[in-house]
């Protein structure tokens, strides 16, 4: 058990969803404190009160630094770390030209281990304390990810990407091997330490109906796992799915009919949805994962944040590394802001920050563990410098309130804004 420790600084927590409750859902303390003990958040409140109650506990004073829950990236592809920012293609070409050749390399466990270490170095220096990642078809790629996360004490989610068609030789499994390998991996990792296994058919175009059915059966047998895939990212992709599954009512139905829908189902992108898909998604309790830097980078389209929130959909936020163009959840919040602006809705900084923390935690069904500054939750924290560059500092200096001081860091911040990261109650960077 780690010793108690008191962190002082500005603090930001949420008592409710700001999309529903407005600004009264946010609690900002200018001189706040977080007491960390045994890997958990033990207490939060005004610094003076906590110091008086715990006079002998060691203190780290971050001054004007902002202490919040660490960022939660609800959809990523860690094997695409080395090919992030590859120029000039749309989804299917981009997969064939850059992604599949790189993913082929993960048959080598040493290569997978090297990229997993690099990936967590990058996410942590960006203040991300939990990521939910696809791996490759190789079980070794899953072992590399979870072993590295476990070594660092991280809460992490991932699964073997399953594909049995429309992928090159060497990057296809079968319905049987996808089931068997995923089963062996979930037995090895799911629920161990802070790790959750995610059953991961890549998307309908690269799985036969037989494989989707096998994945649905596996999830029904192991309901504590999550299930992740992609849904309606690009218009061409949606048309391709109609050709591949002529019997399906729509793209979502290719998952629904095989048992791949329900609470704990995570659908990346979800841009070009029909009315039926939206209704069924809402009723099912599934989560939609917004990947804004990816949607602009690959030219996918504009996620309907306002409409989907109004319908009561469960929404998380994600980088989609390396279709996304950044490891930073600050950059990701900025892109979400810009996409919503193009649909004439200005997301408030409280809404953006909530999406990157508690919203993603709820999407991953982990809000009872992570995603907020709340006693009893795990102590995964980020400390932000709200004046990390001259451009940000001069704008923040003019701020009339806390939100105006935070917004320049959301819009212009990156890893330079990340002053410290605490993982499971211990200083990580
Ligand atoms: N759809 C299927 N696979 C992928 C992927 O790796 N990245 C993105 N952005 N979309 C996908
Ligand atoms: Zn993706």
């Amino acid at each position: 058990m780690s010793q108690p420790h008191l962190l002082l600084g500005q603090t930001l927590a949420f008592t409710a969803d700001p999309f529903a409750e407005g600004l009264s859902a946010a609690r900002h303390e200018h001189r706040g404190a977080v007491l960390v003990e045994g890997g958990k958040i033990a207490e939060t409140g005004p610094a003076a009160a906590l110091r008086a109650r715990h006079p002998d506990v060691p203190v780290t004073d971050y001054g004007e630094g902002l202490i919040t829950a660490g960022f939660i990236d609800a959809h990523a592809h860690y094997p695409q770390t080395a090919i992030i920012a590859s120029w000039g293609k749309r989804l299917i070409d981009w997969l064939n030209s850059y992604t599949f050749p790189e993913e082929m390399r993960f048959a080598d466990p040493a290569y997978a281990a090297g990229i997993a270490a690099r990936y967590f170095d990058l996410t942590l220096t960006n203040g991300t304390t939990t990521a939910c990642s696809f791996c490759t078809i190789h079980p070794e790629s899953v072992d590399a990810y979870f072993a590295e996360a476990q070594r660092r004490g991280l809460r992490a989610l991932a699964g073997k990407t399953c594909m049995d068609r429309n992928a090159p030789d060497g990057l296809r499994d079968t319905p049987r091997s996808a089931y068997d390998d995923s089963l062996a991996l979930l037995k090895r990792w799911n629920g161990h330490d802070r790790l959750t296994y995610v059953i991961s058919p890549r998307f309908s175009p690269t799985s036969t109906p037989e494989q989707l059915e096998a994945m649905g059966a596996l999830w029904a047998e192991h309901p504590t796992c999550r299930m992740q895939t992609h849904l309606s990212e690009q218009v061409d992709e949606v048309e391709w799915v109609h050709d591949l599954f002529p019997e399906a009512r729509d793209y979502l139905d290719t998952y629904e009919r095989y048992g791949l829908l329900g609470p704990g189902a995570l659908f990346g992108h979800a841009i070009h949805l029909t009315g039926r898909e939206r209704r069924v998604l809402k009723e099912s309790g599934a989560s939609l994962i917004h990947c804004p830097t990816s949607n602009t980078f690959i030219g996918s389209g504009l996620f309907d944040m306002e409409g989907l929130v109004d319908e009561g959909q469960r929404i998380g936020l994600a980088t989609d590394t390396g279709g996304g163009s950044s490891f930073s959840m600050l950059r990701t919040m900025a892109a979400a802001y810009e996409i919503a602006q193009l649909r004439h809705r200005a997301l408030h900084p409280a809404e953006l920050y909530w999406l990157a923390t508690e919203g993603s935690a709820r999407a991953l069904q982990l809000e009872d563990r992570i995603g907020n500054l709340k006693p009893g939750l795990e102590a995964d924290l980020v400390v932000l410098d709200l004046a990390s560059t001259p451009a940000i500092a001069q704008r923040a200096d003019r701020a009339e309130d806390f939100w105006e001081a935070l917004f320049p860091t959301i819009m212009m911040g990156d890893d330079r804004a990340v002053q410290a990261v605490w993982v499971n109650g211990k200083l990580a960077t």
Side-chain angles (χ1 to χ4, degrees):
M1 288 291 253
S2 52
Q3 292 303 305
H5 201 100
L6 200 54
L7 282 62
L8 308 184
Q10 301 194 63
T11 56
L12 175 62
F14 293 95
T15 54
D17 171 357
F19 282 98
E21 305 287 331
L23 278 191
S24 66
R27 290 271 175 285
H28 168 245
E29 198 85 56
H30 186 252
R31 195 66 191 141
V34 180
L35 179 69
V36 162
E37 187 166 12
K40 297 264 173 67
I41 298 169
E43 267 181 68
T44 62
L50 265 72
R51 286 198 86 155
R53 271 205 295 285
H54 305 281
D56 302 324
V57 169
V59 171
T60 302
D61 190 345
Y62 289 109
E64 289 290 307
L66 174 66
I67 308 168
T68 74
F71 299 129
I72 300 173
D73 185 347
H75 178 119
H77 299 257
Y78 97 83
Q80 297 170 15
T81 295
I83 56 138
I84 194 167
S86 291
W87 181 83
K89 305 274 179 173
R90 293 180 65 80
L91 177 60
I92 306 304
D93 283 347
W94 176 83
L95 285 173
N96 287 321
S97 308
Y98 301 121
T99 307
F100 290 160
E102 177 63 14
E103 291 193 7
M104 210 87 86
R105 302 177 73 170
F106 286 71
D108 173 4
Y111 187 75
I115 298 290
R118 188 189 301 176
Y119 175 73
F120 285 117
D121 283 346
L122 288 163
T123 50
L124 278 171
T125 53
N126 277 285
T128 298
T129 48
T130 289
C132 179
S133 184
F134 287 77
C135 300
T136 66
I137 71 151
H138 313 97
E140 296 83 353
S141 72
V142 183
D143 289 334
Y145 176 94
F146 279 134
E148 190 62 34
Q150 189 176 48
R151 195 177 68 72
R152 296 171 190 239
L154 288 163
R155 182 162 285 287
L157 307 89
K160 176 194 128 70
T161 295
C162 300
M163 300 196 273
D164 67 343
R165 64 168 165 176
N166 293 319
D169 288 348
L171 220 50
R172 287 191 309 274
D173 50 19
T174 67
R176 182 83 244 166
S177 71
Y179 180 95
D180 291 345
D181 287 347
S182 300
L183 177 62
L185 287 163
L186 76 84
K187 283 187 175 161
R188 191 171 315 145
W189 297 110
N190 189 45
H192 292 260
D193 293 332
R194 306 181 72 203
L195 310 175
T196 298
Y197 192 81
V198 190
I199 295 165
S200 307
R202 181 176 215 120
F203 66 156
S204 297
T206 49
S207 288
T208 58
E210 292 72 29
Q211 180 166 79
L212 294 172
E213 189 172 15
M215 294 297 101
L218 184 63
W219 195 25
E221 289 152 13
H222 299 278
T224 62
C225 294
R226 311 295 184 268
M227 191 294 299
Q228 66 183 348
T229 189
H230 297 82
L231 176 67
S232 298
E233 179 177 0
Q234 294 210 332
V235 171
D236 297 358
E237 171 208 6
V238 176
E239 285 167 7
W240 192 23
V241 170
H242 285 311
D243 293 343
L244 289 168
F245 295 83
E247 68 290 357
R249 286 169 288 185
D250 44 45
Y251 196 158
L252 183 64
D253 194 30
T254 66
Y255 300 124
E256 188 181 351
R257 59 178 50 222
Y258 299 114
L260 297 169
L261 180 64
L266 318 170
F267 293 104
H269 305 289
I271 300 168
H272 307 285
L273 299 174
T274 66
R276 193 200 80 87
E277 289 175 312
R278 291 167 75 129
R279 239 180 357 266
V280 173
L281 283 163
K282 165 69 179 80
E283 284 161 11
S284 72
S287 302
L288 312 185
I289 312 299
H290 180 30
C291 307
T293 70
S294 170
N295 298 161
T296 51
F297 184 73
I298 314 185
S300 301
L302 306 179
F303 185 84
D304 180 16
M305 180 66 77
E306 180 166 37
L308 293 163
V309 164
D310 286 351
E311 287 166 20
Q313 305 278 4
R314 193 187 285 241
I315 299 169
L317 190 65
T319 61
D320 192 30
T321 304
S325 54
S326 176
F327 293 92
S328 166
M329 289 297 285
L330 292 170
R331 277 292 310 130
T332 304
M333 285 183 244
Y337 179 81
E338 288 165 350
I339 286 181
Q341 278 285 54
L342 289 169
R343 300 194 66 128
H344 309 294
R345 167 69 154 81
L347 294 172
H348 191 276
E351 294 171 327
L352 293 165
Y353 216 94
W354 183 86
L355 281 170
T357 52
E358 166 119 10
S360 280
R362 286 193 192 185
L364 300 176
Q365 296 191 309
L366 287 172
E367 70 272 23
D368 59 340
R369 305 289 178 96
I370 54 172
N372 206 345
L373 280 192
K374 200 159 80 174
L377 294 193
E378 296 163 356
D380 289 347
L381 310 170
V382 63
V383 185
L384 294 182
D385 172 2
L386 299 184
S388 62
T389 68
I392 294 172
Q394 59 91 38
R395 176 61 187 93
D397 199 41
R398 285 273 187 94
E400 308 232 321
D401 63 18
F402 167 66
W403 300 112
E404 257 194 53
L406 173 60
F407 195 55
T409 288
I410 290 178
M411 291 309 298
M412 299 194 285
D414 54 28
D415 53 339
R416 289 168 292 180
V418 176
Q419 206 176 325
V421 179
W422 288 68
V423 170
N424 214 15
K426 297 200 189 86
L427 185 63
T429 64

